[in-house]
């Protein structure tokens, strides 16, 4: 009697599984149509004898699903409804008026706050000289005497012996001492020792009159005014009903301070307290404080005081611009003091050059002008320029004007500013700093088109003559952006060549890596066409100046990120390819044993992004040559090798697509070369599952291209690799069991083995038999069903192999259904393998069932049968396995894992 499997008609089965198509007539329900809601309202009459009536109404509006969930009640609306409507309306009105008033008076987010300048000033103005500080020594006394003394007498209690001068302090020691005073102020205020807090503020304010280490003065000014900010940090809630009397008391105490500088700073610090005295208190106080500064003899101390007054004024009364303008114009009237004999003698004593001394004024003047120029009309800039001309185009003032006013205003008058810069005196404030400030504005706003080239020529004439490399690169960095913004690669190449010329001697570039990085970033920001960028002759030589490896790698990363972001189409331009291969090689060669995994992934992603963008069109041989070269260059980054294997496989499939599956002798040889590339590259990978999946994927590609022997080689390699799969693998830094991943791979492998034809010299089902042997010898976890799940999938495979026509095929590849044509010997071999697999399954079930395997079979087979009958029932009459009953037996393993007991428990 001939044995054969149940014949399956896959086409008919697919048709039966499809959903039934139902025609939808116009006007029927559709999920995207608007929903029509019908409301039912019931009106109940309260009069005696009245009856209830119900009315219905329809609405075409769409119901809100959230409203339906809340039964039409919004929790926020309910919360608002509980409040008194009159009170709520009054509160809303007062809040709106207050907000409108604050919006009118307060400065906006476009105003750069003082806090953003603080760190830069502290970092820029430092010293190595020794500093001194005078601190108050508190003499302990009785509580009674403290109460008896008047507060005015306490302020005068600075007699001999109550002060201590700390000498020979380093800059850090000085800063630490200032922080201690700041903390003491906070402690005194929190413990209600207001007089003590005032003493600390007076003591700190006096330090601002000391200019013995003049180059540190701007930083000292920042530190001391931080303490004044702490002193002024109160809230309206801390003011009691007698606020007016309290404020007067404070101002009387401050007025009694003998020295001008502490009296000015303390009063300015609590300027906003004037609002408790009168509505016009602040507007009356600002001009008086401005006049007080005229009594400060040292011009540096005076300009810092003016800066502090502007700072406080912008916080409490930004609308009083007249007082701010008067403050600055007073400074202009006394500006000639900077070049007076007193200042010159002081600089000689401290060995400070005039250019360095003038830079000490920049933070204060910049801040004053920023406050004046905030939202100021363009006419104010014209007025400032005229005043600068009257002062002989003073470079210090001109620089601050260009830094303070809007870039659009400066750019429109670029040629006027250049003319003023030319007339400035070079000795006091260097002209290159003025051109740098002008360049910063031109990077934000465009000058008139007719003036652009002349502006660049005038600026570069000054910049290129600079001898100091640091001064040169600071200016060049700014003007490179202007050049890239408005000119072509010719002008950019000229600028880059000049930078190389200035920074190469004595390896000056080693001290200017941040500026050089900024130049590269600006160039690639404006040149998105990399064919133009790399045709700039001096671009690659410019990259050679980055000799420090970490900096060079960062620059290369910036270039690759820009390429991946802006390159829209694939490229084969040899200029781009050679340049970017050099850039990628630089990144790759930086990888060593100490490189972090995250860094490796980032570099590999950038290189892979480049590889994906390379295409030689139909020149497949050139494409393969590129991949071969890339493999030799990037062998230390495993994700890049994986990408190259995928790319080569894709190349082979594109060749198949072009040839429509009918390879010529040339294309067949080319495809075999692609297959060989993959077969050679895969073993170099360290990840075992990457190797397994790539062997399977590459074998499928080889099979699709009729490379049968090569496909067999891939599949054999995959089979031989399975025993090496470890029990635990590293997934994202965590150790996880590998059996789940192995099960997934084997299921995919079985799906492929269905269509792989047998080798004529290897015997029937040689790959399946080899894989089963490997699975049998693999050490599986105890009490684990993964092995049985694999065997169940093998039975699916074997059952599909017995069909007369397989469910899927590879075009132009004859699978075993065609080769054997349903031959009985072939089916007999399949049955033998099935018997072996089922035996393995039953042995596992016996192990789970311990001493009574019949318990398991009872769960899968009808009652009243013996063990031999039950085993027989697991097979069809033709010898093929009954997968339905076998699956039930396998599912029974889960039951036994729960009971793990006697026959009674299992029953």
């Amino acid at each position: 009697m001939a044995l054969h499997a149940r014949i399956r008609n896959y086409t008919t089965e697919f048709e039966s599984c499809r959903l039934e198509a139902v025609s939808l007539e116009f006007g029927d329900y559709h999920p995207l149509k608007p929903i029509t809601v019908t409301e039912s309202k019931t009106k109940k009459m309260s009069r005696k004898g009245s009856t209830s009536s119900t009315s219905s109404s329809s609405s075409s509006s769409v119901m809100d699903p959230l409203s339906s969930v809340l039964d039409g009640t919004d929790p926020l609306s309910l919360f608002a409804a509980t409040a008194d409507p009159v009170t709520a309306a009054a509160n809303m009105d007062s809040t709106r008026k207050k907000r409108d008033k604050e919006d009118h008076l307060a400065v906006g987010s476009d105003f750069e706050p003082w806090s953003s300048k603080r760190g830069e000033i502290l970092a820029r103005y430092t010293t190595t000289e020794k500093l001194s500080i005078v601190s108050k020594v508190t003499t302990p006394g009785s509580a009674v005497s403290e109460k008896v003394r008047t507060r005015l007498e306490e302020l005068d209690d600075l007699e001999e012996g109550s002060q201590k001068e700390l000498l020979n302090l380093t800059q850090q020691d000085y800063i630490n001492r200032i922080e201690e005073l700041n903390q003491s102020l906070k402690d005194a205020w929190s413990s209600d020792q207001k007089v003590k807090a005032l003493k600390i503020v007076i003591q700190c304010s006096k330090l601002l009159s000391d200019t013995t280490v003049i180059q540190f003065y701007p930083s000292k000014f920042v530190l001391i005014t931080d303490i004044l900010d702490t002193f002024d940090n109160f809230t309206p809630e801390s003011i009691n009903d007698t606020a007016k009397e309290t404020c007067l008391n404070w101002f009387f105490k401050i007025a009694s301070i003998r020295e001008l500088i502490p009296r000015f700073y303390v009063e300015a610090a609590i300027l906003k307290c004037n609002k408790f005295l009168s509505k016009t208190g602040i507007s009356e106080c600002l001009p008086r404080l401005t006049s007080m500064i005229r009594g400060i003899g040292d011009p540096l101390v005076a300009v810092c005081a003016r800066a502090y007054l502007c700072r406080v004024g912008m916080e409490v009364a930004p609308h009083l611009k007249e007082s701010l303008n008067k403050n600055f114009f007073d400074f202009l009237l006394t500006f000639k003091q900077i070049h007076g004999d007193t200042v010159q003698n002081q600089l000689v004593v401290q060995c400070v050059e005039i250019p360095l001394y003038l830079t000490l004024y920049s933070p204060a003047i910049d801040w004053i002008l920023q406050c004046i120029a905030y939202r100021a009309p363009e006419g104010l800039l014209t007025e400032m320029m005229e005043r600068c001309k009257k002062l002989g185009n003073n470079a210090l003032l001109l620089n601050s004007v260009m830094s303070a006013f809007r870039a659009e205003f400066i750019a429109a008058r670029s040629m006027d500013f250049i003319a003023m810069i030319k007339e400035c005196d070079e000795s006091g404030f260097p002209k290159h700093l003025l051109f740098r400030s002008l360049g910063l504005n031109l990077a934000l706003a465009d000058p008139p088109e007719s003036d652009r080239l002349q502006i660049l020529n005038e600026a570069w004439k000054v910049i290129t003559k600079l001898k100091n490399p640091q001064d040169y690169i600071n200016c060049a960095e700014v003007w490179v952006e202007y050049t890239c913004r408005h000119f072509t690669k010719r002008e950019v190449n000229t600028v880059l060549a000049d930078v190389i010329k200035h920074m190469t001697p004595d390896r000056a570039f080693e001290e200017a890596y941040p500026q050089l990085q900024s130049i590269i970033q600006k160039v690639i920001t404006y040149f998105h066409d990399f064919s133009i960028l790399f045709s700039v002759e001096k671009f690659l030589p410019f990259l050679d100046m980055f000799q420090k490896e970490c900096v060079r790698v960062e620059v290369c990363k910036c270039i690759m990120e820009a390429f991946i972001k802006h390159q829209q189409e694939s490229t084969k331009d040899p200029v781009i390819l050679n340049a970017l291969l050099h850039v990628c090689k630089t990144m790759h060669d930086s990888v060593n044993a100490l490189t972090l995994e995250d860094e490796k992934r980032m570099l590999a992603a950038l290189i892979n992004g480049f590889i994906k963008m390379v295409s030689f069109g139909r020149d497949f041989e050139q494409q393969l040559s590129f991949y071969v070269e890339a493999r030799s260059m990037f062998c230390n980054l495993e994700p890049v090798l994986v990408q190259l294997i995928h790319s080569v496989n894709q190349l082979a499939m594109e060749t198949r697509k072009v040839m429509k599956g009918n390879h010529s002798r040339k294309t067949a040889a080319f495809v075999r070369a692609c297959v060989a590339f993959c077969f050679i590259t895969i073993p170099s990978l360290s990840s075992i599952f990457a190797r397994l999946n790539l062997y399977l994927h590459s074998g499928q590609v080889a099979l699709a291209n009729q490379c049968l022997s090569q496909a067999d080689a891939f599949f054999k390699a995959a089979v031989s690799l399975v025993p090496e799969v470890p029990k635990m693998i590293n997934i994202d830094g965590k150790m996880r069991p590998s059996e789940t991943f192995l099960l997934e791979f084997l299921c995919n492998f079985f799906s492929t083995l269905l269509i792989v034809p047998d080798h004529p010299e290897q015997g029937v089902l040689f790959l399946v038999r080899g894989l089963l042997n490997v699975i049998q010898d693999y050490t599986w976890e105890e009490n684990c069903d993964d092995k049985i799940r694999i065997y169940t999938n093998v039975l699916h495979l074997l059952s599909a192999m017995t069909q007369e026509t397989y469910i899927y095929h590879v075009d132009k590849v004859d699978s075993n259904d065609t080769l054997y044509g349903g031959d009985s010997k072939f089916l007999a071999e399949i049955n033998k393998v099935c018997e072996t697999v089922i035996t393995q399954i039953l042995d596992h079930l016996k192990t789970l069932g311990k001493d009574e395997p019949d318990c398991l079979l009872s769960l899968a087979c009808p009652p009243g049968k013996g063990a031999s009958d039950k085993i027989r029932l697991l097979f069809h009459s033709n010898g093929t396995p009954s997968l339905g009953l076998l699956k039930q037996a396998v599912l029974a393993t889960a039951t036994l894992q729960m009971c793990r007991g006697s026959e009674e428990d299992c029953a």
Side-chain angles (χ1 to χ4, degrees):
M1 178 179 176
L3 298 177
H4 57 83
R6 175 172 63 88
I7 299 175
R8 299 182 61 179
N9 189 327
Y10 292 114
T11 305
T12 304
E13 292 181 23
F14 285 145
E15 291 294 334
S16 64
C17 293
R18 288 181 179 177
L19 295 176
E20 183 180 358
V22 180
S23 60
L24 183 66
E25 296 182 3
F26 180 77
D28 289 353
Y29 167 77
H30 190 276
L32 299 181
K33 286 181 61 178
I35 300 174
T36 301
V37 181
T38 301
E39 297 179 352
S40 295
K41 298 181 181 179
T42 301
K43 298 181 180 179
K44 294 185 179 180
M45 308 302 293
S46 61
R47 292 192 302 271
K48 183 178 180 180
S50 64
T51 58
S52 301
S53 62
T54 303
S55 64
S56 299
S57 63
S58 297
S59 172
S60 61
S61 61
V62 180
M63 178 178 288
D64 181 7
L66 296 180
S67 299
S68 61
V69 173
L70 296 170
D71 297 328
T73 58
D74 179 9
L76 296 180
S77 301
L78 289 176
F79 176 77
T82 59
D84 181 12
V86 177
T87 305
N91 290 338
M92 290 178 61
D93 186 62
S94 62
T95 302
R96 182 169 59 251
K97 289 181 179 179
K98 182 178 179 181
R99 183 176 65 249
D100 293 342
K101 183 178 180 181
E102 289 176 350
D103 290 344
H104 174 70
L105 298 180
V107 295
S109 59
D110 56 336
F111 184 80
E112 185 180 3
W114 174 259
S115 57
S116 64
K117 300 177 178 294
R118 179 183 181 278
E120 180 185 353
I121 295 173
L122 292 176
R124 180 180 178 185
Y125 299 98
T126 60
T127 183
T128 57
E129 295 186 27
K130 297 300 180 180
L131 302 167
S132 63
I133 188 171
V134 178
S135 62
K136 176 86 165 55
V137 178
T138 303
T139 305
S142 65
V144 177
S145 62
E146 190 70 24
K147 291 181 179 179
V148 171
R149 288 181 184 177
T150 63
R151 295 188 176 183
L152 186 59
E153 291 173 345
E154 288 179 354
L155 294 178
D156 291 334
D157 185 23
L158 296 174
E159 65 223 12
E160 185 178 355
S162 65
Q163 298 184 60
K164 179 181 179 182
E165 185 175 10
L166 302 178
L167 303 174
N168 297 324
L169 297 178
T170 64
Q171 178 179 316
Q172 189 58 48
D173 293 337
Y174 189 92
I175 294 174
N176 294 339
R177 179 56 186 157
I178 294 296
E179 290 296 330
E180 291 175 7
L181 289 172
N182 199 358
Q183 187 60 43
S184 299
L185 173 62
K186 294 177 182 178
D187 296 340
W189 190 269
S190 61
S191 61
D192 203 28
Q193 299 182 46
K194 301 298 190 298
V195 175
K196 180 180 179 182
L198 182 57
K199 288 180 180 180
I200 295 174
V201 173
I202 295 172
Q203 176 187 339
C204 293
S205 300
K206 285 185 176 182
L207 298 176
L208 290 176
S209 61
D210 178 19
T211 58
T212 51
V213 184
I214 199 166
Q215 62 267 35
F216 183 67
Y217 190 83
S219 292
K220 181 195 291 187
F221 170 74
V222 170
L223 295 171
I224 299 301
T225 52
D226 284 348
I227 296 179
L228 295 175
D229 293 340
T230 303
F231 181 63
D232 185 41
N233 187 21
F234 69 91
T235 59
E237 289 77 10
S238 63
I239 304 300
N240 55 26
D241 296 335
T242 59
K244 184 174 182 179
E245 182 180 352
T246 304
C247 286
L248 283 172
N249 192 20
W250 276 100
F251 281 113
F252 288 152
K253 290 184 177 68
I254 294 168
S256 67
I257 300 174
R258 294 191 184 95
E259 297 182 33
L260 173 61
I261 291 178
R263 184 168 73 250
F264 164 80
Y265 274 104
V266 177
E267 183 174 356
I270 62 170
L271 179 63
K272 63 181 177 182
C273 292
N274 280 275
K275 65 183 179 182
F276 297 107
L277 302 179
S278 66
K279 294 182 179 180
T280 60
I282 294 177
S283 60
E284 293 172 355
C285 190
L286 274 175
R288 181 173 55 81
L289 290 174
T290 301
S291 301
M292 285 175 61
I293 301 175
R294 297 175 182 175
I296 301 177
D298 192 304
L300 180 59
V301 178
V303 76
C304 288
R306 296 184 188 280
Y308 184 71
L309 185 59
C310 285
R311 177 182 162 194
V312 174
M314 287 297 289
E315 291 176 359
V316 301
H319 58 289
L320 298 177
K321 285 293 186 70
E322 296 81 4
S323 297
L324 299 180
N325 293 345
K326 181 176 183 296
N327 189 9
F328 180 71
F329 294 148
D330 274 5
F331 165 71
L332 294 182
L333 293 175
T334 60
F335 187 75
K336 295 181 179 179
Q337 289 181 338
I338 295 177
H339 302 285
D341 294 338
T342 303
V343 173
Q344 298 299 323
N345 294 336
Q346 184 183 20
L347 297 182
V348 171
V349 172
Q350 297 194 32
C351 300
V352 175
E353 299 292 334
I354 188 65
L356 175 61
Y357 175 70
L358 290 178
T359 60
L360 303 179
Y361 286 81
S362 293
I365 299 178
D366 289 348
W367 177 257
I368 296 172
L369 281 171
Q370 178 184 326
C371 296
I372 294 174
Y374 180 64
R375 295 180 180 176
E378 194 170 358
L380 182 60
L381 174 59
T382 304
E383 181 182 354
M384 289 294 177
M385 293 175 68
E386 291 300 324
R387 288 181 177 269
C388 287
K389 291 178 181 178
K390 290 180 180 179
L391 291 173
N393 292 327
N394 184 272
L396 178 62
L397 290 178
L398 195 58
N399 186 69
S400 296
V401 168
M402 289 190 291
S403 302
F405 281 86
R406 290 175 54 185
E408 294 83 359
F409 297 167
I410 304 297
R413 296 167 170 78
S414 298
M415 292 307 300
D416 294 335
F417 277 103
I418 288 177
M420 295 173 68
I421 292 173
K422 287 182 178 180
E423 297 175 4
C424 287
D425 183 9
E426 184 82 31
S427 60
F429 198 91
K431 287 185 179 180
H432 66 85
L433 294 181
L434 298 176
F435 275 106
R436 186 179 189 277
S437 298
L438 179 61
L440 289 172
N441 283 282
L442 296 181
L444 301 174
D446 298 334
E449 187 172 358
S450 58
D451 296 338
R452 290 175 184 175
L453 183 58
Q454 186 179 357
I455 291 171
L456 178 61
N457 290 333
E458 294 291 344
W460 209 259
K461 285 178 185 177
V462 176
I463 296 172
T464 194
K465 293 178 181 178
L466 296 174
K467 302 299 182 183
N468 185 302
Q470 200 62 40
D471 292 340
Y472 170 85
I473 197 62
N474 287 335
C475 283
E477 171 199 0
V478 173
W479 282 90
V480 162
E481 182 169 4
Y482 174 79
T483 309
C484 296
R485 188 183 179 106
H486 299 295
F487 299 98
T488 65
K489 68 174 185 179
R490 176 175 170 271
E491 289 79 10
V492 173
N493 188 66
T494 302
V495 170
L496 294 182
D498 195 63
V499 173
I500 295 172
K501 176 183 175 182
H502 280 78
M503 302 307 295
T504 302
D506 301 324
R507 300 180 67 86
F509 54 79
E510 292 182 345
E511 303 297 328
Y513 283 139
Q515 292 89 338
L516 296 176
Q517 281 182 269
S518 176
I519 290 175
I520 287 290
Q521 188 64 52
K522 290 170 181 175
V523 171
I524 62 179
T525 298
Y526 288 96
F527 284 82
H528 295 166
D529 189 340
F530 278 73
S531 61
I532 295 178
L533 176 63
F534 289 122
S535 64
V536 176
E537 182 183 355
K538 296 298 181 179
F539 183 77
L540 291 180
F542 190 92
L543 292 181
D544 292 338
M545 286 195 294
F546 295 98
Q547 298 291 317
K548 191 175 181 180
E549 185 181 62
C550 61
V551 179
R552 184 169 67 251
V553 171
E554 287 299 319
V555 171
C556 292
K557 286 162 63 175
C558 288
I559 295 173
M560 293 309 303
E561 288 170 357
F563 175 78
I564 294 171
K565 179 180 179 180
H566 299 295
Q567 187 71 22
Q568 302 296 328
E569 299 178 354
S570 56
T571 182
K572 62 178 180 179
D573 190 325
V575 175
I576 296 178
L577 297 187
N578 290 334
L580 291 185
L581 278 174
H582 171 72
V583 171
C584 291
K585 177 65 173 172
T586 300
M587 295 192 301
H588 169 270
D589 292 347
S590 69
V591 175
N592 53 45
L594 300 179
T595 305
L596 298 176
E597 290 299 322
D598 287 345
E599 178 71 8
K600 290 181 182 179
R601 279 194 291 269
M602 180 183 294
L603 296 177
L606 293 174
I607 296 175
N608 286 342
F610 163 62
I611 290 173
K612 293 176 184 177
M613 294 301 297
V614 176
S615 174
F616 290 88
R618 289 293 185 88
D619 193 348
F620 292 159
E621 293 181 351
Q622 185 66 27
Q623 189 82 31
L624 182 60
S625 298
F626 170 77
Y627 291 144
V628 171
E629 182 181 4
R631 180 180 63 182
S632 65
M633 296 177 69
F634 311 127
C635 56
N636 290 333
L637 290 173
E638 189 163 303
V640 178
L641 296 179
V642 172
Q643 177 60 46
L644 288 171
I645 294 170
H646 285 304
S647 298
V648 172
N649 281 328
Q650 183 180 0
L651 184 62
M653 294 305 293
E654 288 178 0
T655 305
R656 177 181 181 274
K657 181 179 179 180
V658 170
M659 300 302 296
K660 299 180 180 178
N662 299 314
H663 284 299
S664 64
R665 180 178 299 178
K666 182 178 180 181
T667 59
F670 174 76
V671 169
R672 286 194 292 271
C674 293
V675 171
F677 176 97
C678 298
F679 193 78
I680 293 171
T681 309
I682 293 175
S684 63
L685 303 177
S686 61
S687 171
I688 190 165
F689 279 102
R691 280 182 281 163
L692 284 172
N693 289 313
L694 286 172
Y695 274 134
L696 178 59
H697 183 213
S698 300
Q700 293 167 346
V701 171
L703 194 64
N705 285 280
Q706 301 114 51
C707 301
L708 301 183
S709 59
Q710 287 84 354
D712 284 345
F714 279 114
F715 297 141
K716 286 179 182 178
V719 170
S720 63
L721 194 59
V722 170
E724 300 179 18
V725 175
K727 299 298 179 188
M728 305 292 289
I729 57 174
N730 191 323
I731 303 293
D732 295 331
K734 297 180 179 179
M735 300 304 295
R736 301 185 183 276
S738 63
E739 292 184 353
T740 302
F741 301 96
L742 181 59
L743 179 62
E744 180 183 359
F745 165 75
L746 290 175
C747 291
N748 292 334
F749 200 1
F750 294 149
S751 300
T752 303
L753 290 179
L754 174 64
I755 54 175
V756 177
D758 286 339
H759 195 284
E761 299 177 359
Q762 300 291 339
V764 179
L765 304 178
F766 75 101
L767 286 174
V768 176
R769 294 176 187 274
L771 185 56
L772 287 174
N773 291 334
V774 168
I775 294 171
Q776 175 64 25
D777 296 337
Y778 188 79
T779 305
W780 299 90
E781 290 289 336
E782 294 184 4
N783 303 324
C784 179
D785 296 331
D786 287 338
K787 184 176 180 180
I788 301 305
R789 291 191 179 95
I790 292 172
Y791 280 147
T792 305
N793 283 288
V794 172
L795 291 178
H796 285 293
L797 169 63
L798 296 173
S799 178
M801 283 183 169
T802 62
Q803 300 302 314
E804 184 176 349
T805 302
Y806 290 170
I807 190 171
Y808 48 82
H809 294 85
V810 175
D811 188 31
K812 295 182 175 55
V813 174
D814 293 332
S815 299
N816 285 340
D817 58 343
T818 304
L819 294 179
Y820 293 108
D823 185 74
S824 58
K825 293 182 180 180
F826 175 66
L827 296 178
E829 290 295 328
I830 294 178
N831 288 338
K832 289 181 183 179
V833 178
C834 284
E835 291 176 5
T836 303
V837 172
I838 293 174
T839 300
Q840 293 293 329
I841 294 175
L842 294 178
D843 288 343
H844 181 75
L845 298 180
K846 281 182 182 180
T847 303
L848 295 179
K850 293 186 178 179
D851 298 331
E852 189 52 59
D854 191 56
C855 168
L856 251 177
L857 295 175
S858 297
L859 297 173
C861 301
K865 299 285 186 179
S868 59
D869 294 330
K870 292 175 180 177
I871 294 176
R872 194 180 301 111
L873 285 172
L874 295 175
F875 299 90
H876 291 298
S877 59
N878 59 9
T880 59
S882 174
L883 295 180
L885 290 176
L886 184 61
K887 284 183 178 179
Q888 294 180 38
V890 172
L891 290 173
T893 59
T895 305
L896 277 185
Q897 283 182 336
M898 291 190 296
C899 61
R900 291 286 186 185
S902 61
E903 182 176 354
E904 291 81 5
D905 294 328
C906 293

